[in-house]
Structure formats: C-alpha cells, structure tokens
Amino acid sequence: MRKKFNCVVFCVLALGTMGAAQNTKSKDEHRTVTQSLDRTVTNVEHDFVPAAEAMPEDKFNFAPTDGEFKGVRTFAQQIKHVAAVNYELGAAILEEKPPVDIGDEAGPASVTTKADILKYLNSSFAYVHKAIQTINDKNLVETVRSPFGEGKVTRLGLATTVAWHAFDHYGQMVVYLRMNGIIPPASR
C-alpha cells in the first residue's frame, strides 16, 4: 500500500511540475503562424546547409554505385534540386514566377562549382524565408496555384513542404557523406 501511495505522490508531483513548466513556456514563447513556419524552415536550413558544406568539392559529384543506386542524383544534384524546389515553393506562396532558373527542378546547368551551388542553395533559403514572411492567420489556408501541375494548394501546405522535402534529401545526403567517411555536422 505504501508503494502505491508513493507512486501516486510521485506521479502527481511530476505532472504538476511538467504542467507548471509548460505554462511558463507557453506564456514566454507565444509565436505567430509566420514565426512558427519560419522557425521550421530555419531548423531544416541549419542541418541542410552545413551538410552541403561538409562534402569536399572533389566529392560533390559522388553518387553511390554499389547496390540499388542506379540513376540516383549526385550529392551536388541533391543540393541543386532542393534549392530549385525551394524557389518553386517560395514563388508559389508569393504567387509569382521563380526569380531564378530552376531547370525543371534540377537547378541551372550552369551552376557547377561547390561555391556556386552553395550560393544558389543559400539564396533559395533566403527567398523561402521572404515568402514565409507573407503568410499570416488570414491567408494561411487560402489556396494558390500548385507549382506541381494543375490544382490548388494552401500556403500552409507549401510552407510545410519546404521542410519535409529538404529533410527527405538531407537523409540521402547523410548517407553520401558517411559513405565518404564524413560525419554530418548535425551528428557531431
């Protein structure tokens, strides 16, 4: 009986402490929709960009060949693809044409060096942040033209696509880095 009582007391105290911590946190950290979405993009950017920077330039055209890797993108192509789609998503949110060549979601063929690819990537994140800044409570679920064919999508859907799409390719880049003996910066 004493064990049960102690367990109940412990649970009540733990739940009370957690509740108090959450109340303090929510009061201190009220964020707008814009801030929340922008934070999500910042989170993926802080993992993706350092991973892109970690691969030496002489390995930028690396793609696995052992196993079931026929036809996969190279490391550089992964980065350019994410950047191109960032531009495409940002433009759809803003209801404008992408401000740069997205090369059918592959990025421009003229961008080939590590420095140029990283510049293209960083600029794409800056553009996405600009687009996210226009999203608010009033237009969050209004529909805009889908950049991926016919139909309409919400700005919220486009904004969340930035994160999941980049993290999908980030996972592939992590494999490429590790296959080259490089520990991804986020794992160090």
Side-chain angles (χ1 to χ4, degrees):
M1 184 70 161
R2 183 150 174 91
K3 268 187 176 179
K4 286 183 182 178
F5 177 75
N6 287 340
C7 184
V8 168
V9 169
F10 174 77
C11 288
V12 169
L13 289 173
L15 289 172
T17 303
M18 287 172 34
Q22 286 180 344
N23 284 340
T24 302
K25 186 177 181 179
S26 64
K27 288 178 187 174
D28 293 341
E29 294 188 22
H30 180 270
R31 291 188 179 140
T32 65
V33 166
T34 306
Q35 291 168 325
S36 296
L37 292 172
D38 196 58
R39 180 40 119 185
T40 301
V41 172
T42 297
N43 288 341
V44 70
E45 182 180 13
H46 285 181
D47 283 347
F48 196 93
V49 172
E53 294 169 342
M55 185 70 90
E57 184 157 17
D58 66 328
K59 303 274 185 179
F60 247 53
N61 289 319
F62 172 80
T65 55
D66 293 338
E68 297 295 321
F69 290 102
K70 185 178 181 181
V72 298
R73 291 181 174 104
T74 66
F75 190 82
Q77 288 169 335
Q78 297 278 357
I79 298 166
K80 285 175 53 174
H81 170 68
V82 167
V85 171
N86 282 351
Y87 278 116
E88 190 171 29
L89 293 167
I93 291 168
L94 294 168
E95 297 185 273
E96 63 186 31
K97 290 186 177 204
V100 298
D101 178 11
I102 62 169
D104 197 27
E105 295 184 359
S110 61
V111 174
T112 58
T113 67
K114 179 179 178 177
D116 288 344
I117 291 168
L118 292 175
K119 181 179 178 185
Y120 185 68
L121 175 65
N122 284 308
S123 296
S124 79
F125 275 112
Y127 183 69
V128 165
H129 284 290
K130 173 187 165 188
I132 296 289
Q133 292 303 311
T134 68
I135 300 174
N136 57 48
D137 291 333
K138 292 180 182 170
N139 69 8
L140 180 68
V141 292
E142 285 180 1
T143 57
V144 295
R145 190 179 149 290
S146 173
F148 307 114
E150 293 185 29
K152 298 276 189 172
V153 294
T154 64
R155 286 181 178 86
L156 174 61
L158 293 169
T160 58
T161 299
V162 173
W164 70 252
H165 178 256
F167 272 129
D168 177 45
H169 290 280
Y170 171 77
Q172 295 168 52
M173 290 168 55
V174 164
V175 172
Y176 289 22
L177 288 167
R178 290 193 180 270
M179 289 177 85
N180 282 281
I182 300 165
I183 299 171
S187 299
R188 294 179 189 158

